[in-house]
Amino acid sequence: MVLHLVTNGNTDYFMATLTCKIPEELNALLEKKAEKEHVPKSAILREALVAHLKKNNLSKKSSAFDLVRHLSGSLQGPSDLATDPKHLKSLGA
């Protein structure tokens, strides 16, 4: 990995270099956008990568509940299923 010094105003950042292969069509779109916005292709890719990672919450650890949150409330049945002893009798409790 090579770290490059990047200056933004009076702030210096060290950034890793990432190399990836993309289809020619995607590269053409990226070049067109970079030219239109007068920014380097790498700036567009960094912005897109940050947005993607934030969208998919990869920056924080998920709890077990976070992973099944979409299932919460999806089943029908008594609301006191885990606390009322009459529901637990069939389980040997």
Side-chain angles (χ1 to χ4, degrees):
M1 176 179 359
V2 177
L3 295 179
H4 294 281
L5 181 63
V6 177
T7 302
N8 183 7
N10 61 357
T11 305
D12 293 333
Y13 300 98
F14 282 100
M15 293 195 187
T17 298
L18 173 68
T19 303
C20 68
K21 296 180 181 184
I22 60 173
E24 286 296 327
E25 302 83 26
L26 182 57
N27 187 53
L29 292 171
L30 181 59
E31 286 178 346
K32 190 180 289 188
K33 183 171 179 68
E35 186 176 319
K36 179 181 177 185
E37 295 184 9
H38 305 288
V39 296
K41 293 189 294 184
S42 59
I44 296 169
L45 292 173
R46 275 192 299 274
E47 186 178 311
L49 185 57
V50 167
H52 176 77
L53 294 176
K54 282 184 179 180
K55 176 184 170 195
N56 290 297
N57 272 338
L58 297 179
S59 60
K60 69 172 190 166
K61 289 188 175 184
S62 298
S63 68
F65 179 69
D66 289 335
L67 298 174
V68 295
R69 180 181 307 272
H70 64 285
L71 298 174
S72 180
S74 63
L75 301 177
Q76 294 181 2
S79 60
D80 60 349
L81 188 59
T83 57
D84 192 333
K86 72 180 179 186
H87 301 301
L88 302 174
K89 284 182 183 175
S90 65
L91 301 175

